[in-house]
Amino acid sequence: MEKPVREILRRLAERSDDRAMPGSAKGMPITWAADPFKMLISTVLSQRTRDESTHAASGRLFGRYDTPQKLMSAPLEEVEELIRPVNFHKGKARAIIEISRILTERHGGEVPKTVEELDALPLVGRKTATCVLSYAYDLDYICVDTHVHRISNRIGLVRTTTPDRTEEELMDVVPRDLWRSVNELLVRFGQEVCTPLRPKHDICPIREFCDLYLEEQEGKGRA
Ligand code: SF4
């Protein structure tokens, strides 16, 4: 069945509002999310890393180096130490110094505003690029991470096997004015309700629209 996307996102926003933490966006302090450089670097640090470790590492790093011009000249060993709680911290330290150098030398110290230019930076893929563009520049992109990919497929908004295809299909079914909301709403929902292993159907405000839930109910009815 065709999904009432606007209603689904409205209900997720309603439950999110009830639990909203002031001053955060994508789980990050709002000052980082609003600064394209800090948003970009934090998102690279967050890859395969828990939020708490990302926040701790980002806070320490930006306390010392808060611009590309400063970070490009930072000693590698010191940056490794500052970001140590994150996974793959050595590779990420090298990458963020190199990103800072490229931003400074090729982009006038600014974070570029296109997926293609961002995608060309070390450890920056499409997901990181669309997150930065939507959160820091308020541009119309759908940032598809593991939560958005999983939940969109469970509900039946899309039928895909990769995040890139999910992004393309979501752009067809989600009204454009809601693209930027998708990531924040689904990430929080995915952490608290529609979790990877045991989704909490019993407290889910959108289960009547969810293919996975409806299929499970149908299966139980047949058993
Ligand atoms: S009904 Fe279950 S699987 Fe479907 S969106 Fe809700 S929590 Fe996720």
Side-chain angles (χ1 to χ4, degrees):
M1 72 169 177
E2 194 172 322
K3 306 291 177 182
V5 182
R6 204 172 273 282
E7 174 62 13
I8 289 171
L9 292 176
R10 190 194 66 74
R11 289 191 193 184
L12 295 185
E14 202 171 72
R15 74 162 283 289
S16 194
D17 280 349
D18 288 345
R19 321 166 65 78
M21 291 189 309
S24 79
K26 195 177 159 48
M28 293 179 187
I30 201 81
T31 47
W32 300 353
D35 178 327
F37 173 67
K38 291 179 181 172
M39 181 76 204
L40 172 60
I41 298 300
S42 298
T43 308
V44 170
L45 296 181
S46 76
Q47 293 166 6
R48 296 171 185 243
T49 296
R50 295 167 60 85
D51 284 352
E52 308 84 73
S53 302
T54 302
H55 295 169
S58 300
R60 276 206 303 276
L61 179 72
F62 299 142
R64 292 273 296 141
Y65 304 105
D66 60 354
T67 64
Q69 292 83 357
K70 292 179 192 168
L71 186 53
M72 69 179 271
S73 310
L76 177 61
E77 298 72 27
E78 189 192 349
V79 175
E80 286 176 0
E81 270 313 303
L82 288 168
I83 66 167
R84 183 179 271 282
V86 304
N87 292 329
F88 311 108
H89 68 285
K90 292 197 171 195
K92 288 177 181 174
R94 267 194 306 280
I96 60 178
I97 290 173
E98 178 63 4
I99 288 171
S100 299
R101 188 189 64 75
I102 296 171
L103 295 185
T104 304
E105 294 178 357
R106 295 190 207 153
H107 298 285
E110 302 289 327
V111 173
K113 290 187 178 175
T114 67
V115 171
E116 293 70 27
E117 288 170 301
L118 285 165
D119 200 26
L121 299 169
L123 289 190
V124 177
R126 188 167 180 95
K127 185 200 86 175
T128 298
T130 51
C131 274
V132 171
L133 294 172
S134 61
Y135 279 99
Y137 283 133
D138 287 341
L139 295 173
D140 288 338
Y141 284 95
I142 301 177
C143 171
V144 176
D145 65 0
T146 174
H147 293 291
V148 176
H149 177 59
R150 178 184 72 254
I151 298 167
S152 301
N153 274 280
R154 280 178 173 173
I155 299 171
L157 293 175
V158 302
R159 294 274 178 214
T160 61
T161 53
T162 66
D164 284 0
R165 277 297 301 160
T166 297
E167 185 194 345
E168 284 171 26
E169 292 199 14
L170 281 177
M171 286 194 290
D172 286 337
V173 297
V174 177
R176 194 179 178 105
D177 61 302
L178 297 175
W179 286 5
R180 284 187 287 125
S181 312
V182 170
N183 182 274
E184 187 157 17
L185 292 176
L186 266 58
V187 167
R188 196 170 289 171
F189 181 59
Q191 290 166 338
E192 297 173 355
V193 180
C194 194
T195 46
L197 291 183
R198 287 194 190 82
K200 302 180 180 83
H201 304 319
D202 52 324
I203 58 163
C204 178
I206 56 168
R207 64 185 180 185
E208 73 205 77
F209 307 123
C210 173
D211 282 358
L212 178 66
Y213 175 75
L214 295 174
E215 282 160 21
E216 285 186 11
Q217 292 306 302
E218 215 177 292
K220 280 183 195 160
R222 275 200 306 270

